PDB file of all heavy atoms in Angstrom:
ATOM      1  N   SER A1217      -5.342 -13.508  -3.548  1.00  0.00           N
ATOM      2  CA  SER A1217      -4.522 -14.665  -3.173  1.00  0.00           C
ATOM      3  C   SER A1217      -4.388 -14.747  -1.663  1.00  0.00           C
ATOM      4  O   SER A1217      -4.512 -15.828  -1.065  1.00  0.00           O
ATOM      5  CB  SER A1217      -3.148 -14.559  -3.842  1.00  0.00           C
ATOM      6  OG  SER A1217      -2.300 -15.579  -3.370  1.00  0.00           O
ATOM      7  N   LEU A1290      -9.001 -17.195  21.756  1.00  0.00           N
ATOM      8  CA  LEU A1290     -10.224 -17.980  21.703  1.00  0.00           C
ATOM      9  C   LEU A1290     -10.666 -18.131  20.250  1.00  0.00           C
ATOM     10  O   LEU A1290     -10.523 -17.206  19.450  1.00  0.00           O
ATOM     11  CB  LEU A1290     -11.335 -17.298  22.501  1.00  0.00           C
ATOM     12  CG  LEU A1290     -11.142 -17.134  24.006  1.00  0.00           C
ATOM     13  CD1 LEU A1290     -12.251 -16.295  24.606  1.00  0.00           C
ATOM     14  CD2 LEU A1290     -11.075 -18.506  24.689  1.00  0.00           C
ATOM     15  N   ILE A1309     -10.486  -4.114  -2.432  1.00  0.00           N
ATOM     16  CA  ILE A1309     -10.629  -4.624  -3.794  1.00  0.00           C
ATOM     17  C   ILE A1309     -11.711  -3.865  -4.554  1.00  0.00           C
ATOM     18  O   ILE A1309     -11.536  -3.530  -5.735  1.00  0.00           O
ATOM     19  CB  ILE A1309     -10.927  -6.143  -3.747  1.00  0.00           C
ATOM     20  CG1 ILE A1309      -9.688  -6.908  -3.266  1.00  0.00           C
ATOM     21  CG2 ILE A1309     -11.386  -6.653  -5.108  1.00  0.00           C
ATOM     22  CD1 ILE A1309      -9.956  -8.348  -2.843  1.00  0.00           C
TER      23      ILE A1309
END
Side-chain angles (χ1 to χ4, degrees):
S1217 174
L1290 296 173
I1309 290 165

